[in-house]
Amino acid sequence: MSDLPPPGSTEPVSPTPSGSPADPTAPPPPATDPASSAGAGPSVPAPGPAPADPWADQTGYGPSIPHQPGYDAQPAHPNPSGPATPADPATPPGGGDPAGWTAPGAAPPPSYPTPPGYPTMPGYPAGPPQAGWPGYPAHPMPGAAYPVAAGPGAYAGWFPGIDPQDPLVNPPHAGIGPWFARCWGALRRGWRQLLPIVLLTQVPPAMVIGVLTLVLSPDGQMATAPDGSPVLPEDFWAQTLGFYGAILFAGLIFGALQAMGWAAGTWVIARQAAGQPAGLGAAFRYGLSRALGLWGWTIVVSLLVTLGACFCLLPGLYAALALALFGPVYLFERRDPVGRSWRMFHSRFGMVLGRVALVVAALVVSTLLDVVLSGISGALFGLEPMGAVGTAIGAVTLTVLSAVVAAPAYLAQQVGLVVTYAEQRAQEGPVTAAQLAAELG
């Protein structure tokens, strides 16, 4: 009798082991539940013939199906490997599914391999990158300057070494409020030294130029020709050239004195912010050592601004704003003050423009006060007050008063520009008030 199953039957037949013949009276072996070999539940008798193996005609391992997001497992292919089932050539050694997937909700077997092409990267935690995690350095905010993680005493995106409590250096991204606070702090600490410096170096030039304006200003009264047409007064051009020549000469001479005052005031602001002594005599000695160099650069910047104003008012104003930081750049760095000021202005255009505009606003207020006092002088003493002694004394007194009233504007200008320069240095790298004071020499 043949051991082969009848034609059309799919029931597997256990092979006859070699050795002694099988006992014909022994009961048949129990059927094996397909799920029991995969550890999915208890064994139950098979209700019918085993289903056909769809992988029987395949060789090797089936196509690898990658893991899909949101699907923890894939349906399994029932392929029990019992003692009565011949080895399936498509089944990998050790059993399991050819494609490496398991039934829905079922845990993978202990030897479940990692799908090829999806290696696990060590050192990177799951989830989106977060600042401060290993392997994920903090990145700067839009427009920030430094791609570094936060350190002690700093915020994320700052260079290490930036002190948020520095009395002079406004940290990056701190805003306009702390800038105002540092300007006020500089005035509160140094007004006893800064006010005498301003009164001795900035107010006298304004007084002299004001008096020269009263004495040498050309006659503004238009003459009338015999035919009734207006003509310029006699010697108008000679008076005009003499007036502007005297004002220019006084400005050049007193420019050196003003430069000494700007250098001395900057020295006081930086040293007091660093907690170092800043006497008035030492400040004037430092200012005298830097006066000539700063005076020369002041002449260069004045010519550039005047050249821009000759083409139109707006180019001259733009040049004045863009080159406003040339003084602190020269005193702290002593190199390329015009180019450095221009680059600082354009690299952070909105920030520098806003700070410098606030300084210019203080000067505009001072100019308006001067205009008001000049109007009062004209109303009280006439357009030509120097013709009589009494009116001359009154006009000169109001001119001196106008120069003294402008002293707070000079203080605001100096403090505001120094604090603005320190803030821009902090945008480029770590800097402190002590470092800036040391750079002054």
Side-chain angles (χ1 to χ4, degrees), residues 211-286:
V211 172
L212 288 176
T213 302
L214 289 175
V215 175
L216 301 178
S217 59
D219 186 8
Q221 298 295 327
M222 298 292 292
T224 304
D227 59 355
S229 61
V231 295
L232 292 174
E234 187 178 358
D235 298 332
F236 174 80
W237 292 111
Q239 294 178 5
T240 301
L241 292 177
F243 167 71
Y244 284 108
I247 296 298
L248 180 60
F249 180 76
L252 290 176
I253 295 300
F254 285 103
L257 178 63
Q258 290 178 313
M260 182 181 70
W262 290 122
T266 303
W267 186 83
V268 169
I269 294 170
R271 285 183 65 87
Q272 287 185 340
Q276 301 173 7
L280 193 59
F284 278 116
R285 287 192 295 271
Y286 174 81

Side-chain angles (χ1 to χ4, degrees), residues 121-142:
M121 302 302 293
Y124 287 78
Q130 300 292 334
W133 283 7
Y136 291 98
H139 293 276
M141 295 183 292

Side-chain angles (χ1 to χ4, degrees), residues 11-441:
E11 179 179 356
V13 179
S14 302
T16 304
S18 60
S20 58
D23 187 3
T25 62
T32 303
D33 185 14
S36 63
S37 60
S43 299
V44 294
D53 187 3
W55 302 95
D57 297 334
Q58 304 291 334
T59 59
Y61 304 111
S64 178
I65 301 177
H67 180 74
Q68 301 295 328
Y71 294 89
D72 294 333
Q74 300 290 340
H77 166 66
N79 185 25
S81 57
T85 305
D88 188 354
T91 303
D97 180 74
W101 18 286
T102 57
S111 60
Y112 188 77
T114 301
Y118 293 87
T120 301
M121 302 302 293
Y124 287 78
Q130 300 292 334
W133 283 7
Y136 291 98
H139 293 276
M141 295 183 292
Y146 337 111
V148 296
Y155 302 111
W158 290 12
F159 269 127
I162 293 291
D163 182 9
Q165 304 301 325
D166 192 283
L168 180 62
V169 180
N170 193 30
H173 314 301
I176 192 66
W179 181 85
F180 270 116
R182 282 165 173 80
C183 292
W184 176 251
L187 285 173
R188 182 172 46 84
R189 286 188 304 268
W191 70 271
R192 293 177 180 85
Q193 292 81 20
L194 294 175
L195 186 57
I197 290 174
V198 168
L199 291 177
L200 293 175
T201 62
Q202 310 300 324
V203 173
M207 291 180 180
V208 172
I209 292 177
V211 172
L212 288 176
T213 302
L214 289 175
V215 175
L216 301 178
S217 59
D219 186 8
Q221 298 295 327
M222 298 292 292
T224 304
D227 59 355
S229 61
V231 295
L232 292 174
E234 187 178 358
D235 298 332
F236 174 80
W237 292 111
Q239 294 178 5
T240 301
L241 292 177
F243 167 71
Y244 284 108
I247 296 298
L248 180 60
F249 180 76
L252 290 176
I253 295 300
F254 285 103
L257 178 63
Q258 290 178 313
M260 182 181 70
W262 290 122
T266 303
W267 186 83
V268 169
I269 294 170
R271 285 183 65 87
Q272 287 185 340
Q276 301 173 7
L280 193 59
F284 278 116
R285 287 192 295 271
Y286 174 81
L288 188 61
S289 67
R290 296 284 186 264
L292 291 180
L294 185 57
W295 179 43
W297 283 109
T298 303
I299 295 174
V300 172
V301 172
S302 300
L303 291 176
L304 292 175
V305 173
T306 304
L307 181 63
C310 290
F311 290 99
C312 186
L313 181 61
L314 289 180
L317 178 61
Y318 187 85
L321 295 173
L323 302 178
L325 295 179
F326 83 94
V329 169
Y330 170 76
L331 294 174
F332 286 102
E333 303 179 25
R334 288 185 292 282
R335 61 179 178 88
D336 191 20
V338 172
R340 278 281 289 157
S341 177
W342 185 271
R343 288 190 295 272
M344 278 187 174
F345 181 78
H346 291 91
S347 61
R348 284 165 292 276
F349 179 80
M351 178 187 297
V352 182
L353 178 61
R355 309 296 193 263
V356 175
L358 291 173
V359 174
V360 173
L363 298 178
V364 170
V365 172
S366 173
T367 303
L368 292 178
L369 289 176
D370 181 69
V371 170
V372 170
L373 291 176
S374 298
I376 295 175
S377 176
L380 293 177
F381 311 114
L383 297 178
E384 296 182 6
M386 305 309 292
V389 176
T391 56
I393 293 176
V396 170
T397 301
L398 282 180
T399 301
V400 172
L401 179 61
S402 176
V404 173
V405 169
Y410 296 135
L411 284 175
Q413 180 184 9
Q414 181 158 46
V415 171
L417 292 180
V418 172
V419 175
T420 300
Y421 169 79
E423 182 182 35
Q424 302 316 305
R425 283 286 301 272
Q427 296 283 338
E428 300 172 352
V431 67
T432 61
Q435 179 182 342
L436 291 175
E439 290 180 2
L440 289 175

